[in-house]
Structure formats: C-alpha cells, structure tokens
Amino acid sequence: MPPLHETTTARVAVLHAIPNREPHGQASRNATGNFERDRLPDPISYFEAQGFPLRGPGLWRTARCDFHGGSDSLRINTRSGGWCCMACGAKGGDVLAFHMQHHGLNFYEAAKALDCWSGDAPQRPRGPADLSDRDRLELVAWELQIAWVILGDTRR
C-alpha cells in the first residue's frame, strides 16, 4: 500500500475531478426563498386548529398523542411550541416540527403549508458524478488506510 501522503494526494485529485461537488457538511446555497420563523402560528391556536384540545394550566399543556394513539401523554410548550410524548418519545422543537412529523412533510412543504416560506422552492444540489472504477478503488484504498491509522492509534 502506498504511503498516506500519496493516497491523500490521489484522493484530493479524485474529489477535485468531480463537478459541482459541495464541501462536506455544507448545503447548497441555491434556495431562492426564505423561511420566516416569526410567521409560525401561535402554538395554542395551531394545536387546537389541528384538533388537539390542550388541557391543564401553565406553560406545558397536555393533549392526546396521535403518533402512538394514546391519550393525555403529549406535552406541549405553549410559548415555544415544543412538544414531547411521554409514552412513545415523539418530540420536536416547534409547531413546524410537529407539522412535518404529523403530516409526513419535508421542511419546505411544512413551511409552505404554515405560510412561513416566502419565495420559490429551494433547489436540490446536484449529486457528484459517477466515479470510474479506478477512482473508486483509489478512494476505497485511501479510506482503508485511514481506518488502519485510526485502529493503530487506538491500540496504544
């Protein structure tokens, strides 16, 4: 197996040969619309309009949980819209997260349905081009060498 610096150079060359590749961990900036959090509905109004009457006093109220079909197990924060089922563990940080999970929507679809998205739909970034067989083998060899180095460090 070649030294690490040679395979790293080969891997970098392979990755630079892929057109339109986004750096790892960075989303594409192709969206032409905006999510506007301040336009999210009031949590109390939202949950009651969705058919979840809230019971109890205070910041955290109780409702039924449709995720597992239970009653009186869903706790809803009336200020933030955060929610958590004490029985099945379903949870989210706001009414948008609830709308996504409850209706099976992605972020854009839920934001649009709640009138919190202005502008056009976000465009999906293009995926990387297919690698040749040789480039795939070089990439696998590089990843195996990195794994070997990591395993060697953990044995010390």
Side-chain angles (χ1 to χ4, degrees):
M1 188 160 250
L4 182 61
H5 69 278
E6 288 179 20
T7 54
T8 302
T9 305
R11 181 175 186 272
V12 170
V14 168
L15 291 179
H16 285 294
I18 301 172
N20 299 321
R21 181 174 172 85
E22 296 290 334
H24 180 68
Q26 294 183 10
S28 174
R29 306 269 183 226
N30 295 336
T32 58
N34 293 309
F35 171 66
E36 298 178 24
R37 180 169 292 284
D38 58 331
R39 290 174 52 184
L40 280 173
D42 169 62
I44 294 174
S45 304
Y46 170 79
F47 283 102
E48 289 184 349
Q50 293 289 312
F52 294 89
L54 303 179
R55 293 179 296 284
L59 180 64
W60 287 89
R61 308 265 178 99
T62 303
R64 75 177 188 280
C65 178
D66 279 358
F67 296 107
H68 78 280
S71 63
D72 295 339
S73 58
L74 186 66
R75 305 292 186 257
I76 299 167
N77 184 305
T78 57
R79 188 175 308 140
S80 69
W83 51 278
C84 179
C85 177
M86 300 302 173
C88 71
K91 62 185 173 186
D94 57 17
V95 296
L96 180 67
F98 184 87
H99 203 75
M100 288 171 63
Q101 235 178 312
H102 191 254
H103 297 285
L105 303 173
N106 65 32
F107 177 85
Y108 168 73
E109 293 166 339
K112 195 77 167 162
L114 294 173
D115 197 31
C116 299
W117 188 271
S118 62
D120 297 329
Q123 298 173 359
R124 294 200 178 272
R126 289 183 45 198
D130 285 333
L131 296 176
S132 69
D133 290 340
R134 180 176 175 80
D135 290 342
R136 282 190 198 127
L137 287 173
E138 286 181 12
L139 191 55
V140 168
W142 184 82
E143 289 171 348
L144 286 171
Q145 191 161 9
I146 292 297
W148 184 258
V149 169
I150 292 170
L151 286 173
D153 285 347
T154 60
R155 292 181 181 170
R156 290 183 189 177

